[in-house]
Amino acid sequence: MSVWEDVAGQPDVVAQLRGAVTAPSAMTHAWLFTGPPGSGRSTAARAFAAALQCEREALGERGCGTCHACRTVLAGTHADVQVVATEKLSIGVDDVRALVQRAARAPSAGRWRVVLVEDADRFTEHSANTLLKSIEEPPPRTVWLLCAPSPEDMVTTIQSRCRPVRLRVPSPDDVAALLVRRDGIDPTMAAYAARAAQSHVGLARRLARDEGARLRRRQVLQLAFEVTGVGEAVVRAGELVDVASEEAAAATAERDAAERAELLRALGAEAAGSLPPALRSQVKSLEDDQKKRATRARRDVLDRALVDLASLYRDVLVVQLGAGVDLVNAELSREVGALARRGTPEQTLARLDAVSTARRRIAASVSPLLAVEAMALALRP
């Protein structure tokens, strides 16, 4: 067993990180992991953090995956490894100041003090400037691991001070093999999930294990076949947004209730009929954070639905152009062929542009319903 086993389809990245762990001259204080969603940025960064803290050295290499340090890092409980995975729309200045203060401390038990930020692209301009000084003048034995979709998502001053680690989209075969080996998924289901998720490891695992997720994906794809007029476009757009909102709410409701109960318990107001004025601000702050998390969850779920829809039009274009490459939605090959015969490649490209425009608008805080309605109208035959 090794900490690198879950890093699917990234042999060059694993070789680079292994070299840094074993050779001091290849090590540096700040790393920037970039790659498309689902490529395994966070997984590679966690594996690197575990190898840095590994207590054993076998054949001149660390990262055994079985020692106490490796297991606690991968589980997220190591005292000297802090993982930041924000569920808000941005990482604020106060959050970064707390990180910088923690990063300045010497390691308490491990070989390094490691700060891993999974959504570094969500730094605001002010929070990025706050982080910059710590990266420019790093404390000894402190390592920053920043993850973002692309280098351009980071401010230039931080990007230039980090060593780049560029991940690529793994092949569906690599993802399917990981699901079979790690999660015990049936090979046929693993192959379907890896292909449908377009090699996004996390989504492939969810599709393979959750029948509800597979049904919701099929409902999203039906939009392309059922939108024939203005009325249908508006109705289907509303249904798509509602499904995304319900899925996001279901994912956050239980956690929200548990957090509120825990806060009231900590404040000694669990059984109070109404909150004293002195405590209301703390509860209000929690509710504000939960609303931000819910907004991000809705956006993420809806964006993934639009990515699935784009995959269908990609398949249509493949058929129209006779490209001879595998379809993402191979189980819908008959429907894809019928859709391809009803249009031209130019029309399919226009529909792909409509889906991309909707994603950009939603990311820019346009009303999701308005953005999806405009997209659905553009998808009509």
Side-chain angles (χ1 to χ4, degrees):
M1 182 177 177
S2 164
V3 297
W4 309 106
E5 286 189 358
D6 289 349
V7 185
Q10 310 290 344
D12 295 339
V13 167
V14 171
Q16 177 186 5
L17 298 178
R18 274 178 161 162
V21 172
T22 57
S25 61
M27 189 59 190
T28 189
H29 67 285
W31 299 75
L32 178 58
F33 291 75
T34 59
S39 57
R41 300 186 302 261
S42 299
T43 301
R46 282 178 183 266
F48 185 38
L52 288 173
Q53 304 288 23
C54 183
E55 299 165 346
R56 300 174 183 171
E57 187 171 357
L59 301 177
E61 183 177 349
R62 295 182 184 270
C64 66
T66 58
C67 69
H68 178 73
C70 283
R71 288 187 285 106
T72 53
V73 171
L74 296 178
T77 57
H78 195 286
D80 293 323
V81 178
Q82 181 172 7
V83 179
V84 180
T86 183
E87 292 173 323
K88 303 177 184 178
L89 298 177
S90 62
I91 302 176
V93 173
D94 292 340
D95 297 325
V96 174
R97 285 175 180 156
L99 283 179
V100 170
Q101 290 177 359
R102 186 180 179 92
R105 303 173 190 167
S108 60
R111 301 168 62 234
W112 301 87
R113 169 77 61 181
V114 181
V115 182
L116 194 169
V117 184
E118 292 191 350
D119 301 287
D121 54 309
R122 295 184 183 271
F123 284 129
T124 64
E125 182 178 354
H126 292 306
S127 60
N129 290 334
T130 302
L131 174 64
L132 180 60
K133 184 171 179 60
S134 181
I135 291 183
E136 286 181 327
E137 302 174 7
R141 314 306 296 173
T142 293
V143 181
W144 289 89
L145 308 180
L146 309 179
C147 303
S150 70
E152 290 71 27
D153 291 316
M154 302 297 298
V155 297
T156 305
T157 48
I158 289 182
Q159 180 190 147
S160 63
R161 288 162 175 79
C162 296
R163 183 164 297 174
V165 180
R166 296 185 175 90
L167 285 80
R168 58 184 177 84
V169 177
S171 71
D173 290 341
D174 288 332
V175 175
L178 175 63
L179 295 178
V180 172
R181 183 182 70 250
R182 184 188 65 186
D183 302 306
I185 305 297
D186 175 77
T188 301
M189 176 58 73
Y192 156 77
R195 187 182 66 250
Q198 299 178 70
S199 294
H200 189 300
V201 177
L203 289 173
R205 184 171 185 263
R206 185 180 178 194
L207 281 174
R209 303 180 69 176
D210 185 354
E211 184 179 0
R214 296 194 293 272
L215 291 174
R216 284 189 293 272
R217 184 178 187 276
R218 182 63 182 262
Q219 290 175 341
V220 170
L221 299 182
Q222 286 300 316
L223 181 68
F225 306 118
E226 296 175 356
V227 171
T228 57
V230 174
E232 291 89 344
V234 173
V235 170
R236 295 301 180 191
E239 290 176 351
L240 179 57
V241 173
D242 288 343
V243 167
S245 298
E246 290 170 5
E247 184 174 350
T252 58
E254 184 176 348
R255 182 175 177 182
D256 289 350
E259 287 177 344
R260 180 182 174 86
E262 179 62 27
L263 177 62
L264 293 178
R265 194 162 38 246
L267 296 174
E270 188 176 10
S274 61
L275 289 173
L279 303 182
R280 290 174 187 166
S281 62
Q282 297 182 55
V283 176
K284 178 67 164 54
S285 177
L286 173 64
E287 291 174 346
D288 289 343
D289 286 343
Q290 290 176 341
K291 288 178 181 177
K292 292 176 182 177
R293 183 169 65 201
T295 298
R296 179 183 172 185
R298 283 194 297 271
R299 287 185 183 180
D300 289 347
V301 171
L302 187 55
D303 185 73
R304 186 61 224 177
L306 296 183
V307 169
D308 288 334
L309 188 60
S311 75
L312 184 72
Y313 286 112
R314 173 263 189 199
D315 287 347
V316 172
L317 191 62
V318 165
V319 173
Q320 289 173 331
L321 297 177
V325 297
D326 294 337
L327 301 183
V328 172
N329 303 282
E331 71 281 1
L332 298 176
S333 57
R334 182 178 302 177
E335 293 90 335
V336 167
L339 206 58
R341 290 189 293 273
R342 296 208 314 251
T344 65
E346 291 78 14
Q347 291 170 332
T348 303
L349 283 172
R351 290 175 181 131
L352 279 168
D353 285 341
V355 177
S356 297
T357 299
R359 295 181 65 198
R360 288 195 300 270
R361 287 172 174 170
I362 293 170
S365 299
V366 172
S367 164
L369 182 58
L370 293 178
V372 176
E373 282 182 348
M375 177 200 73
L377 291 171
L379 298 182
R380 292 175 298 154

